[in-house]
Amino acid sequence: MSEQTQDEATEHASRGVVIVGAGMAGVQTAVALREQGFTGPVTLIGAEPHQPYDRPPLSKAVLLGKAEDSAFDVDFEALGITLRLGLDVAGLRAGAHELDTEQGPVAYDVLVLATGAEPVGLPGSEGVPGVHLLRTLDDAARLRPVLERQHDVVVVGAGWIGAEFATAARAVGCAVTVVEAADRPLAGTMPAEVAAPMAAWYAESGAELLTGARVARVEQGAVHLTDGRVVPAGAVVVGIGARPATAWLADSGIALGPDGSVIADSSLRSSLPDVYAVGDCASFPSARYGERLMVHHWDNALQGPRTVAAALADGVARVYDPVPYFWSEQFGRFVQYAGHHAGADTLLWRGDPQEPSWTVCWLRGGVLVALLAVGRPRDLAQGRKLVEAGARIDPERAADSSVPLKSTAL
């Protein structure tokens, strides 16, 4: 490394970095900076007063009282990371390189946006007693006694979070009704033929799934549907989607997409100098899939920060183009997904969807681009590597669930 390049690298590694958002993406950015040798000041700002924590356990262990919290096992003090918790950030003034907060301005050399996503509320349900969202530790704490008292629970939305909450509620003996406006669960993410067998999981667990059911209004103790049905509800949990938590950036000059995401480039840089975006609040261009992706999943909040931290440590930008991955534990099943199937032209099954375990593969031009594995972790592990490699596979062999997926590559 030349003397000038060494000096530039030293300068990059000593600038002050401020990270807004103390969830997985924010914490991972801070930790990865130190792992990559970044020596400058690092400040992590979180709106909640709690020690930074992981969110997936909220719908499982924390909700069921098997854990009090899910705090990250990170010694922030030992890493030289300054925590500013319980601090709301109200705005960004890029020209001054400052954030506006209720405790005064916070200056930055480099800013990383990691504010995540916030759940979409059910119109007309704001302020109605007994209506809950599930995103924060406090949300989970409010819901725990609801489950302990075994209330009749109505879940609005049969997406991933709705299924996970319904699973937890049934596990403690609550009567559960899931209300879904579409004609099937996971309508926004899975094609009909894949979602159809998953609908049976609800009844199998003892939950009632009402599809094609729209909510007219919610009042304390009841959910009224547009067709006149009234569903008793000791509690209502809303899981109808999430949007990037970026409203505070509206007048900042940062380019936001129609979905509210920070429009990041292939290295997760925003439209403003010295401002990056990671995790649920950002979208990024994928050369692998030929479109811009917004990925609201844990693995994206783990991987993106490493890309940004490496660039901040040595000044060399990296391209971020991952194979999206997520998992869900619901109704006694471990469901995993890798890839992005929107542009696929072929869908093939491995196994019978009426059985406890099966896999769906999506191909585009013969290349495996995505797969969903139910109770088949080996398929997922092997298939994910094939997706990453851009491998063409033999569809006939791939449809034989007795053939290892890795052996189907051409």
Side-chain angles (χ1 to χ4, degrees):
M1 181 180 282
S2 70
E3 185 176 339
Q4 183 180 9
T5 306
Q6 178 69 60
D7 289 345
E8 289 174 351
T10 301
E11 180 186 347
H12 273 285
S14 61
R15 295 187 297 166
V17 175
V18 174
I19 304 162
V20 182
M24 169 60 83
V27 168
Q28 284 299 320
T29 301
V31 171
L33 280 166
R34 295 305 189 218
E35 290 176 345
Q36 297 284 350
F38 184 86
T39 57
V42 176
T43 300
L44 183 63
I45 298 176
E48 295 179 59
H50 310 290
Q51 277 291 113
Y53 61 88
D54 202 6
R55 294 190 190 282
L58 295 184
S59 63
K60 307 173 185 72
V62 175
L63 191 62
L64 294 176
K66 296 177 181 177
E68 284 305 310
D69 60 34
S70 52
F72 291 109
D73 185 18
V74 175
D75 189 336
F76 294 100
E77 186 176 358
L79 290 173
I81 297 166
T82 301
L83 291 181
R84 298 193 64 179
L85 303 176
L87 181 61
D88 276 316
V89 178
L92 164 61
R93 286 177 289 112
H97 268 50
E98 284 185 343
L99 296 166
D100 290 323
T101 81
E102 57 198 4
Q103 296 176 14
V106 175
Y108 66 86
D109 293 321
V110 178
L111 177 64
V112 180
L113 303 172
T115 49
E118 54 197 7
V120 175
L122 185 65
S125 69
E126 297 82 357
V128 176
V131 176
H132 301 264
L133 298 169
L134 180 55
R135 178 178 182 265
T136 69
L137 191 59
D138 290 338
D139 292 338
R142 281 188 288 268
L143 274 164
R144 268 169 62 170
V146 171
L147 298 190
E148 289 167 1
R149 291 194 294 266
Q150 296 187 335
H151 280 301
D152 289 348
V153 175
V154 173
V155 180
V156 182
W160 299 110
I161 190 67
E164 290 185 3
F165 182 83
T167 299
R170 285 299 302 139
V172 295
C174 293
V176 178
T177 303
V178 180
V179 175
E180 170 56 52
D183 62 355
R184 62 185 186 276
L186 298 172
T189 56
M190 289 291 140
E193 60 265 49
V194 176
M198 300 166 91
W201 299 354
Y202 288 79
E204 182 185 299
S205 77
E208 183 176 12
L209 174 62
L210 304 179
T211 56
R214 295 186 174 275
V215 176
R217 72 181 191 281
V218 177
E219 60 187 33
Q220 187 171 3
V223 174
H224 294 257
L225 305 182
T226 53
D227 61 9
R229 285 180 289 179
V230 179
V231 185
V236 178
V237 177
V238 179
I240 56 175
R243 57 177 169 241
T246 56
W248 65 282
L249 293 168
D251 299 317
S252 66
I254 285 186
L256 301 177
D259 53 15
S261 65
V262 176
I263 298 177
D265 69 7
S266 61
S267 298
L268 299 179
R269 295 172 295 206
S270 80
S271 60
L272 290 181
D274 302 318
V275 181
Y276 293 76
V278 293
D280 291 4
C281 71
S283 63
F284 57 90
S286 170
R288 183 191 306 276
Y289 292 107
E291 62 181 283
R292 178 167 287 275
L293 300 181
M294 181 174 67
V295 181
H296 281 186
H297 294 298
W298 189 90
D299 192 64
N300 179 52
L302 177 68
Q303 303 297 340
R306 295 172 178 171
T307 299
V308 169
L312 295 181
D314 64 12
V316 180
R318 276 77 166 172
V319 172
Y320 185 62
D321 195 4
V323 172
Y325 167 76
F326 70 88
W327 78 96
S328 176
E329 294 175 282
Q330 53 182 268
F331 308 120
R333 293 167 171 84
F334 187 45
V335 183
Q336 295 172 282
Y337 177 93
H340 180 66
H341 65 267
D345 53 40
T346 302
L347 182 154
L348 61 87
W349 293 86
R350 285 171 60 79
D352 183 347
Q354 305 307 317
E355 296 294 323
S357 63
W358 45 272
T359 297
V360 172
C361 296
W362 285 271
L363 282 62
R364 183 176 63 205
V367 173
L368 182 66
V369 293
L371 72 159
L372 176 80
V374 177
R376 294 181 66 98
R378 187 173 299 171
D379 271 7
L380 191 288
Q382 295 179 8
R384 188 177 183 181
K385 290 178 181 177
L386 293 174
V387 174
E388 287 171 347
R392 295 177 63 85
I393 65 172
D394 180 335
E396 190 171 319
R397 284 175 57 76
D400 183 346
S401 60
S402 69
V403 175
L405 203 49
K406 63 182 180 182
S407 300
T408 68
L410 296 173

